[in-house]
Amino acid sequence: MSVTAADAPARARRTRSRRRLRAQATPYLFLAPVVLLFLTFKAYPTLYALYLSLTTRSGGQDVFVGADNFTRLLGDPLFWQALRNTVLILVTQVPVMLVIAVLLAVAFNSALLKGRAVLRVSYFLPIVMGLVAYGILFSALMNYQDGLINFVLDAVGLPKVPWLADPFWAKMAIVVAMTWHYTGNNAVIYLAQLQSIPTELYEAASVDGATARQRLWHITLPGLRPALFLTVVLSTIGTLQLFDEPYVLTNGGPDNATLTIGMYLYQNAFQFFDFGYASAIGYVLTAIVGVVALAQMLILRRRSR
């Protein structure tokens, strides 16, 4: 009897200890699947790519070559051409797309516009279309001989445009396709941000005699600043990784005029099976994206103060 009484406090302590341990371990058990997936599909491939970027394949084995793949990039004219093509598409397409998205969002938010719900859906629909499907669609629209766009140009007396065969127009074809595909997505983000701007500001400005342009400049655009910040950064990162549109529309041609860094990485990895060089390109691309995104964040944050 005395032994049982002496053991009771010890059993109670062990019970409390087990309960505390279970309570502390429960969050980690729920997190375990996510952590396992992250380690398997994110951390391991990232670290393995870093290892590959320091090797080259020779005699069926990975041979350590240090930074040779990175120094090879410096003298690779195709890499620099791909970088120039990517930057040119970036500085052309992103500003055009975001300006159109802002104008569409302002129009969709206006009570004067009839059928707003239908128009909102119609402009958002392109984003749900598969990349291959819309690539094929634009290939057909921009066909030199039978495309609808050239048919319309010919009908109004203008010369046909070699959209996919000329180096300049091939880039413009990609810009047009991307703008059509992603503008609605950005317009929806702006529209959501516009809902947070108090209507009293517009009413007070109207009473004070402000014109529509002045209300847009002094109320709407400042109110859209957080959404503008988000879309500029996301669009820039997405365009720097551009792959689908040039791959489907032009396959990097003509004469590598639409070859992007993403496509060049793909070609080295899965066409030339030079995984070490492709991994080096991937890490350089990651560094470029990180530097550009950080610079944009610092600039936009400074201007927002």
Side-chain angles (χ1 to χ4, degrees):
M1 183 67 182
S2 61
V3 173
T4 303
D7 288 344
R11 284 201 299 271
R13 284 196 298 272
R14 286 197 294 271
T15 301
R16 287 196 297 271
S17 177
R18 283 197 295 270
R19 287 176 179 172
R20 189 164 52 247
L21 182 62
R22 280 200 296 270
Q24 291 175 344
T26 299
Y28 296 102
L29 289 175
F30 280 106
L31 284 174
V34 178
V35 173
L36 184 63
L37 289 173
F38 173 78
L39 292 175
T40 304
F41 295 105
K42 290 289 186 180
Y44 172 72
T46 302
L47 294 176
Y48 187 62
L50 178 61
Y51 161 74
L52 286 178
S53 69
L54 304 174
T55 66
T56 188
R57 199 71 176 168
S58 178
Q61 294 183 336
D62 293 329
V63 179
F64 184 78
V65 294
D68 283 3
N69 287 322
F70 294 94
T71 54
R72 177 183 163 190
L73 277 173
L74 298 176
D76 185 349
L78 265 184
F79 170 76
W80 292 108
Q81 182 170 0
L83 182 60
R84 283 195 300 271
N85 293 339
T86 306
V87 172
L88 181 60
I89 293 173
L90 169 68
V91 299
T92 306
Q93 190 266 334
V94 171
V96 171
M97 174 184 67
L98 296 186
V99 169
I100 295 175
V102 169
L103 296 177
L104 284 176
V106 172
F108 293 158
N109 197 48
S110 172
L112 301 175
L113 184 67
K114 304 298 182 185
R116 285 185 295 170
V118 175
L119 289 173
R120 289 174 182 175
V121 172
S122 65
Y123 275 94
F124 187 74
L125 275 180
I127 198 64
V128 301
M129 181 180 284
L131 286 168
V132 175
Y134 104 87
I136 294 172
L137 171 66
F138 271 84
S139 295
L141 288 174
M142 294 179 171
N143 184 281
Y144 182 76
Q145 294 295 339
D146 308 318
L148 177 62
I149 297 177
N150 276 340
F151 174 78
V152 173
L153 292 176
D154 192 42
V156 297
L158 294 174
K160 291 182 178 181
V161 176
W163 291 102
L164 305 177
D166 179 81
F168 172 78
W169 289 112
K171 291 188 184 71
M172 293 304 103
I174 291 172
V175 169
V176 171
M178 291 177 65
T179 302
W180 177 83
H181 193 233
Y182 296 108
T183 296
N185 186 51
N186 291 291
V188 169
I189 295 174
Y190 295 148
L191 185 60
Q193 183 68 35
L194 284 175
Q195 309 298 314
S196 67
I197 300 176
T199 55
E200 291 81 4
L201 292 177
Y202 292 101
E203 293 170 358
S206 299
V207 171
D208 290 341
T211 63
R213 187 179 62 82
Q214 289 172 327
R215 292 197 296 271
L216 172 67
W217 189 256
H218 295 291
I219 299 176
T220 303
L221 292 181
L224 281 176
R225 190 171 291 151
L228 287 168
F229 172 80
L230 174 69
T231 53
V232 166
V233 174
L234 291 181
S235 300
T236 301
I237 293 174
T239 307
L240 285 172
Q241 301 174 75
L242 180 61
F243 172 79
D244 303 273
E245 286 81 3
Y247 181 77
V248 175
L249 276 175
T250 61
N251 198 24
D255 194 23
N256 296 316
T258 56
L259 180 70
T260 62
I261 301 180
M263 280 199 68
Y264 193 47
L265 186 157
Y266 172 83
Q267 288 179 352
N268 278 282
F270 301 107
Q271 293 181 0
F272 309 141
F273 299 104
D274 192 349
F275 292 105
Y277 194 51
S279 299
I281 296 173
Y283 267 91
V284 171
L285 176 59
T286 302
I288 293 172
V289 169
V291 170
V292 172
L294 181 62
Q296 286 181 327
M297 290 173 64
L298 293 175
I299 293 171
L300 293 174
R301 185 171 297 175
R302 186 173 300 173
R303 290 186 176 180
S304 65
R305 289 176 182 170

